[in-house]
Amino acid sequence: MKSNKQSLPDKNGFFGDYGGKFVPETLMYALEQLESTYNNLKDDENFKKQFYKDLSEFVGRPSPLYFAKRLTNHYGTGSIWFKREDLNHTGAHKINNTVGQILLAKHMGKKRIIAETGAGQHGVATAAVAARLGLECHIYMGAEDIQRQSPNVYRIKLLGAQIHSVDSGSATLKDALNEALRDWVTNVDDTYYIIGSVTGPHPYPMIVRDFNSVVGEELISQSQNLFNKMPDAIVACVGGGSNAMGAFYPFININETRLIGVEAGGEGVQTGEHAAPLNDGTPGVLHGALSYLMQDNSGQVKDTKSVSAGLDYPGVGPEHSWLKDSGRAEYVAVTDDEALKAFHEVSELEGIIPALETAHALAYLDVLMKEFDSNSNIIVNVSGRGDKDINTVAEIDGIKF
Ligand SMILES: *Cc1c(COP(=O)(O)O)cnc(C)c1O
């Protein structure tokens, strides 16, 4: 949680043109309360001590930076390193943020926790930290995602949280977020909303980024130790954008490191059947923030398509929109098929089954490694493990257990 020189967002929650707080009156007070609580706590020594203690003892941080030897040999140029967020407790980077936000909830005296979830990883991570503190927990999840991520649904239940199935719209992450916001508007007095990505109204994109920045902070010292310089590139998948933002943020002023976000190209960006707003979207407001968005000419949010539930979202965190326009980060997309190929390849070459979300970042190495020589170091943020996805992949591969 080190503060960055550029110090965005500004005091109104904007990253350049993007971000802000486009919410009903009833939430303004709650957001202001959250912001002032966070601003008071983020530099508090006891708060920081507790946060890093929990990251160490509950999550298992720091996560290793691991040399992917056979994948490196497969491409034959440059060294590929995996940031092993898949080894975190509950299996993804999501827990970094929930460990931080539950401390804010506790400090604010909130008794009831709510969250939305797509792939279920944020639901599991939220249910886990709520259980640990004995707080009531409700998880909103699209009916479509409940079906394709059934192992995580059961994990959430085992952790003592209640699942609320959301049938509206496309019954995926966007709709779950709508329902969670609706719950929050109704129960704002006793309820803390742990949002799962760098999305939503200010101050959430800032808070979620800061808690996930532990990833980038570790990468700076691990790069120094393992290859004695800064990486040439960091590659991360982008749904809402929290794992990418956490890895990118501490590097924003380290110009020798290229920052590359990989969106879900679904059937292909040119088909319109995808979840890649930074590649094929226009600025618009969704879930309380202005950012690139998949919308039609009248501003209606378009349906998304991705094999990966965690990337299946028509919007993206506002800081990514700013990084795109400023040129500091690059945003590309890979298709479902390319991600599935990488899922299998990396499982067989490295003995690591990546999440389908992560497989998008890995798939882009096919293009990216051609741009680097053998002295280069490329880091892929392995945002999570693929155990939750094996039913989806088995079905696609026509395998029955
Ligand atoms: C949720 C999730 C993502 C996508 O969310 P971001 O906020 O874009 O990081 C990526 N990978 C995994 C494993 C996830 O669980």
Side-chain angles (χ1 to χ4, degrees), residues 92-94 121 197 237-243 310-311 355 357 383-384:
H93 69 286
K94 296 283 187 347
Q121 288 302 125
S197 191
C237 64
V238 176
S242 65
N243 87 86
L311 303 184
E357 291 82 9
S383 54

Side-chain angles (χ1 to χ4, degrees), residues 13 34 92 233 244 258 318-319:
L34 174 60
R258 279 173 66 185
E319 194 163 9

Side-chain angles (χ1 to χ4, degrees), residues 115-124 139-142 145 156 172-173 176:
E116 86 294 342
T117 197
Q121 288 302 125
H122 180 58
V124 169
I139 305 294
Y140 290 90
M141 190 166 183
D145 292 336
I156 290 166
T172 57
L173 180 55

